[in-house]
């Protein structure tokens, strides 16, 4: 099955409404001086993002005489649908800012520019970027579509005062140890953990981390492994924090990341796992300013005291955003000029100061390493691992999130139903294997 047919099949498998209109290259073709960019909606800093859109367009018009318009996606499903729709119609945004884990899917379509040496030169060269951020730009260094835009290694924020008052000298390095500390710190109107079960982006990352630490990468050699016992245990642990351990606010079944950050910032939780430097801008203005720190998350899977044989001590996925340029774009050179502008040290520093997104620009990143507040985040970046580079991976992470979504009603009732969980995982296993087979 060729790539187009594979993506069409995958698109039909995603039960969401597909937009019937596309924009960007159409307007570009008419005036030749407008670029359209697709980027994720920033739910933590929406006002600041709108201002950034305006600032980028104004600056680019001054530099290149061209306007930049932005459209946003609100969820990974929206993101995948937009890629599929644009590829099939041959029109849409000129540039996409994709989550790094979606780069394999984008690459597999063959619809995005495979960067040549000359094109890399036009955006400052590969040496402009931290080497680690190029790790998921393509299947190898000579076949790359993804240009690193932001780096987002995940860590855990913790309330120093609450831990000290409880006699805890540092966050645990095992998930079982973290659960015990969370129990110890729950009470008096506070919870041990702030977790956003209702977020559309992050729940699968907990499951992936615990699974790979236990030796299961979830997808290996074209085979899905979602029903592996260690992955079942990962879900039981993640959902059990709220249902059985009672260390998470019951309201968290509906929380997005912004609400989890707000709860931690108000001093209502001791730990905030799976958070990135994007939280720093908010927390430095919150009630815990000066009272919190970052630590790498546990690297020992649930039920273990040391990393088991075959386990990978991953602290985070290789996370962030890559920019990709559509082959159908009639403005590819103009797109490269915009990418060049967005990845300079100057532009990336402004982005970091506004949104807390770490830079991929090597010059700026090396300057920020000296900030002690970012030490754990830098450490996590060095211990991050990429997700499988397979065209069907995007379906896997969507399925993993869907298991959490389908579990929320029982979770809200305070229980983890093992029979229901196993049924959901069996269904997810079948759907993901089908997607992997179609993407071959």
């Amino acid at each position: 099955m060729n790539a187009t047919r594979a993506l069409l099949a995958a698109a039909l498998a995603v039960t969401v409404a597909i937009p019937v209109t596309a924009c960007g290259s159409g307007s570009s073709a008419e005036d030749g001086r407008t670029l359209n960019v697709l980027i994720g909606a920033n739910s933590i800093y929406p006002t600041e993002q709108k201002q950034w859109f305006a600032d980028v367009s104004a600056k680019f018009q001054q530099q290149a005489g061209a306007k930049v318009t932005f459209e946003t996606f609100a969820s990974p499903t929206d993101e995948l649908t937009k890629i599929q729709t644009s590829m099939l119609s041959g029109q849409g945004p000129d540039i996409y800012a994709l989550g790094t884990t979606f780069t394999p899917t984008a690459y597999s379509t063959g619809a995005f520019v495979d960067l040549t040496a000359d094109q890399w030169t036009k955006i400052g060269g590969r040496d402009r970027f931290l080497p680690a951020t190029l790790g998921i730009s393509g299947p190898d260094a000579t076949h790359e579509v993804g240009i690193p835009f932001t780096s987002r290694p995940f860590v855990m924020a913790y309330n120093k005062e609450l831990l000290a008052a409880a006699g805890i000298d540092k966050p645990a390095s095992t998930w079982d140890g973290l659960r015990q500390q969370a129990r110890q710190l729950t009470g008096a109107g506070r919870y041990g953990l702030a977790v956003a079960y209702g977020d559309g982006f992050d729940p699968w990352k907990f499951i992936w981390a615990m699974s790979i630490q236990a030796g299961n990468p979830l997808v290996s050699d074209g085979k899905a492994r979602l029903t592996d016992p260690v992955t079942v245990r990962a879900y039981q642990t993640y959902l059990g924090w709220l249902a059985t351990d009672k260390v998470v606010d019951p309201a968290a079944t509906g929380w997005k990341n912004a609400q989890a950050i707000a709860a931690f910032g108000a001093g209502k939780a001791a730990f905030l796992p799976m958070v990135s430097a994007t939280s720093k801008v908010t927390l430095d203005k919150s009630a815990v300013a000066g009272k919190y720190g970052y630590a790498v998350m546990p690297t020992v899977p649930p039920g273990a005291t040391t990393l088991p044989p075959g386990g990978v001590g991953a602290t985070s996925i290789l996370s962030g955003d890559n920019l990709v340029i559509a082959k159908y774009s009639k403005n590819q050179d103009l797109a490269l000029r915009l990418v060049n502008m967005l990845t300079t040290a100057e532009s990336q520093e402004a982005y970091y100061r506004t949104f807390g997104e770490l830079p991929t620009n090597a010059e700026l990143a090396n300057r920020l390493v000296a900030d002690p507040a970012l030490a754990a985040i830098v450490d996590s970046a060095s211990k991050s691992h990429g997700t499988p580079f397979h065209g069907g991976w995007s379906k896997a992470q969507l399925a993993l999130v869907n298991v959490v979504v389908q579990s929320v009603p029982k979770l809200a009732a305070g229980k983890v139903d093992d029979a229901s969980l196993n049924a959901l995982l069996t269904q997810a296993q079948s759907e993901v294997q089908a997607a992997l087979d179609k993407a071959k």
Side-chain angles (χ1 to χ4, degrees):
M1 181 179 289
N2 64 33
T4 300
R5 293 178 61 191
L7 264 293
L8 177 59
L12 294 174
V14 179
T15 55
V16 296
I18 298 177
V20 295
T21 58
C23 56
S25 63
S27 58
S28 300
E30 293 172 4
D31 57 29
R33 306 301 294 176
T34 301
L35 282 176
N36 184 262
V37 179
L38 178 74
I39 191 170
N42 193 316
S43 61
I44 302 175
Y45 307 111
T47 302
E48 290 84 352
Q49 188 181 42
K50 287 182 180 177
Q51 184 59 54
W52 182 79
F53 290 163
D55 292 345
V56 167
S57 185
K59 185 175 182 179
F60 195 61
Q61 189 160 27
Q62 185 178 38
Q63 286 191 6
K67 295 180 180 179
V68 183
T69 61
F70 292 88
E71 57 180 308
T72 60
F73 57 83
S75 71
T77 300
D78 289 343
E79 185 179 6
L80 181 59
T81 301
K82 189 64 183 177
I83 294 172
Q84 293 165 336
T85 305
S86 297
M87 188 209 70
L88 293 171
S89 65
Q91 60 178 339
D94 300 284
I95 300 173
Y96 295 66
L98 301 177
T100 49
T101 60
F102 269 61
T103 304
T105 296
Y107 181 86
S108 72
T109 68
F112 298 96
V113 173
D114 202 338
L115 296 159
T116 65
D118 180 59
Q119 288 167 326
W120 274 114
T121 298
K122 289 180 178 177
I123 56 175
R126 293 180 85 252
D127 291 344
R128 166 176 282 188
F129 304 93
L130 284 172
T133 63
L134 292 161
I136 198 163
S137 291
D140 56 59
T142 58
H143 298 87
E144 295 176 318
V145 297
I147 304 159
F149 177 48
T150 65
S151 176
R152 199 178 304 125
F154 290 97
V155 290
M156 176 170 60
Y158 66 99
N159 187 311
K160 294 179 180 178
E161 286 191 344
L162 293 179
L163 266 65
I168 299 172
D169 60 349
K170 61 182 179 181
S173 60
T174 70
W175 289 106
D176 286 357
L178 179 64
R179 176 172 56 190
Q180 182 55 41
Q181 290 182 344
R183 286 173 175 162
Q184 190 176 344
L185 291 161
T186 296
R190 287 190 296 266
Y191 290 91
L193 301 171
V195 178
Y197 288 102
D199 193 79
F201 288 92
D202 285 352
W204 73 269
K205 297 167 187 169
F206 286 94
I207 307 305
W208 176 85
M210 295 178 191
S211 295
I212 192 173
Q213 290 164 5
N216 177 21
L218 295 170
V219 169
S220 177
D221 298 326
K223 301 297 182 184
R225 296 171 54 182
L226 274 64
T227 53
D228 189 292
V230 301
T231 299
V232 175
R233 187 161 195 166
Y235 274 103
Q236 291 169 331
T237 300
Y238 176 69
L239 299 172
W241 289 337
L242 190 154
T244 55
D245 301 316
K246 311 295 184 186
V247 297
V248 177
D249 189 330
T253 54
W255 283 0
K256 309 295 185 187
N257 278 341
Q259 290 160 297
I261 293 171
F264 179 83
K268 296 181 178 178
F271 294 104
L272 176 63
M274 203 61 74
V275 71
S276 70
T278 59
S279 63
K280 192 172 185 299
V281 177
T282 296
L283 296 180
D284 284 347
K285 299 174 183 175
S286 75
V288 301
K291 303 176 184 177
Y292 77 95
Y294 291 114
V296 294
M297 286 186 288
T299 55
V300 176
T305 55
T306 59
L307 200 64
V312 177
T315 58
S316 168
I317 61 169
L318 191 58
S319 179
D321 291 327
N322 281 336
L323 301 174
V324 296
I325 299 171
K327 283 184 178 176
Y328 58 67
S329 171
K330 296 179 174 61
N331 300 298
Q332 291 182 12
D333 280 345
L334 198 61
L336 290 169
R337 289 190 66 177
L338 178 61
V339 171
N340 181 51
M341 187 185 90
L342 295 176
T343 55
T344 62
E346 178 189 8
S347 293
Q348 294 236 304
E349 180 163 18
Y351 202 78
Y352 166 69
R353 300 296 176 197
T354 304
F355 302 106
E357 299 272 20
L358 292 182
T360 57
N361 181 289
E363 174 192 341
L364 177 59
N366 289 331
R367 276 186 291 174
L368 294 180
V369 166
D371 184 347
L374 300 177
I377 296 171
V378 173
D379 188 24
S380 182
S382 69
K383 298 172 181 173
S384 297
H385 286 258
T387 49
F389 202 94
H390 192 292
W393 171 257
S394 57
K395 182 63 178 176
Q397 69 180 65
L398 292 177
L400 292 168
V401 172
N402 187 53
V403 171
V404 176
V405 171
Q406 298 300 320
S407 299
V408 161
K410 289 187 171 61
L411 186 61
K415 68 184 288 189
V416 178
D417 186 323
D418 287 342
S420 175
L421 178 59
N422 285 323
L424 289 169
L425 284 171
T426 298
Q427 181 181 349
Q429 165 78 18
S430 176
E431 293 172 355
V432 172
Q433 188 59 58
L436 295 176
D437 292 341
K438 289 172 183 172
K440 281 181 179 178

